């Protein structure tokens, strides 16, 4: 596993540390082989365009980050995660792919970027790791770093929709309840976003959220 010597920042959110090197394999198994299709659907909804500046918050090992780069090769893309081990894996991938992607150890509630710097912010399976107060401040930070008219696209477990995957998600405590998803949508609206919507997909146990600043 690739690791960096950086220390982990303080955060009340949960971080993935010692098993970061196995995270991609675990994601594939937990999604029953659908991890690739899920990230492609997320990027399809986000629709990164040539020349845009993109931020992936809670990027983990960079699954969404690299998918965004592959879809729109000329985007300028950054990824942050609170886990030095996850960022180490992502940086290792970037070196092997010779991809100029800026991966930083940082937390969503204190983003190391200027106001209005990004056209698009992505979040993949990270928001459920955050307690309500951190989630609220993190979404406010996302709004701060987005340009006017910029987009925020998040995908997370909903635990809804029934089926085997939904039951597994709920069993492991990863799912937002229906009420939890509604609260998340309200947090996004309260942070100043408009056009906040749940995008319907075939993945009934997942919530795909799209909003515009």
């Amino acid at each position: 596993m690739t690791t960096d010597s950086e220390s982990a920042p303080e955060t009340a959110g949960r971080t993935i540390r010692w098993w970061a090197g196995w995270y991609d394999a675990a994601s594939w198994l937990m999604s029953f082989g659908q991890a690739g299709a899920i990230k492609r659907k997320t990027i399809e909804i986000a629709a990164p365009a040539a020349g845009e500046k993109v931020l992936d918050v809670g990027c983990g090992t960079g699954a969404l980050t690299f998918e965004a780069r592959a879809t729109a090769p000329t985007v300028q893309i950054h990824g942050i995660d609170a886990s030095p081990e996850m960022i180490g894996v992502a940086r290792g991938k970037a070196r092997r792919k010779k991809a100029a992607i800026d991966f930083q150890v940082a937390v969503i509630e204190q983003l190391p970027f200027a106001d209005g710097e990004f056209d698009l912010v992505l979040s993949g399976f990270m928001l459920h790791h955050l307690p309500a107060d951190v989630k609220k401040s993190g979404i406010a930070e996302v709004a701060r770093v987005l340009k006017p008219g910029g987009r925020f696209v998040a995908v997370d477990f909903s635990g809804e929709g029934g089926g085997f995957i939904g039951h597994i998600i709920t069993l492991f405590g990863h799912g937002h309840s229906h009420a939890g998803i509604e609260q998340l949508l309200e947090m996004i609206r309260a942070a100043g976003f408009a056009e906040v919507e749940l995008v319907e997909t075939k993945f009934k146990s997942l919530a795909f959220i799209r909003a515009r600043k």
Side-chain angles (χ1 to χ4, degrees):
M1 179 178 68
T2 304
T3 59
D4 284 3
S5 60
E6 295 166 86
S7 60
E10 290 188 14
T11 179
R14 296 194 303 271
T15 57
I16 294 171
R17 304 293 305 277
W18 65 268
W19 59 283
W22 295 276
Y23 180 80
D24 289 339
S27 296
W28 188 87
L29 287 170
M30 192 170 180
S31 69
F32 295 90
Q34 296 185 83
I38 292 166
K39 70 180 180 182
R40 288 191 294 273
K41 175 55 70 174
T42 306
I43 297 302
E44 177 187 318
I45 291 167
E52 288 193 320
K53 192 168 184 179
V54 180
L55 173 63
D56 186 4
V57 294
C59 65
T61 64
L64 270 183
T65 329
F66 289 109
E67 187 67 24
R69 182 60 178 268
T71 302
T74 62
V75 297
Q76 182 182 347
I77 192 158
H78 301 254
I80 67 103
D81 199 279
S83 167
E85 291 81 2
M86 295 286 264
I87 288 295
V89 173
R91 287 173 176 167
K93 289 182 182 179
R95 284 192 291 268
R96 291 191 295 274
K97 294 173 181 286
K98 294 181 172 56
I101 297 175
D102 172 44
F103 287 109
Q104 298 185 44
V105 178
V107 293
I108 187 176
E109 63 268 34
Q110 193 172 359
L111 294 173
F113 302 104
D115 296 359
E117 191 168 340
F118 293 94
D119 300 283
L120 170 65
V121 175
L122 303 169
S123 170
F125 300 105
M126 185 271 286
L127 294 174
H128 70 274
H129 287 297
L130 307 178
D133 58 337
V134 177
K135 197 178 298 181
K136 183 177 179 180
S137 59
I139 292 169
E141 276 287 274
V142 168
R144 179 185 67 78
V145 302
L146 272 172
K147 298 174 182 177
R151 294 107 62 213
F152 177 40
V153 172
V155 57
D156 215 324
F157 301 114
S158 70
E160 299 289 321
F164 186 64
I165 295 177
H167 292 309
I168 291 293
I169 289 167
T170 303
L171 179 66
F172 281 93
H174 285 297
H176 288 93
S177 64
H178 177 73
I181 291 295
E182 288 301 319
Q183 289 170 359
L184 177 56
L185 295 174
E186 282 305 312
M187 279 187 188
I188 295 171
R189 293 187 186 101
F193 285 92
E195 303 176 33
V196 181
E197 60 178 333
L198 280 175
V199 180
E200 193 72 25
T201 75
K202 69 177 182 179
F203 303 104
K204 301 305 180 185
S205 297
L206 303 179
F208 291 82
I209 298 169
R210 179 170 54 197
R212 188 176 297 275
K213 181 178 173 181

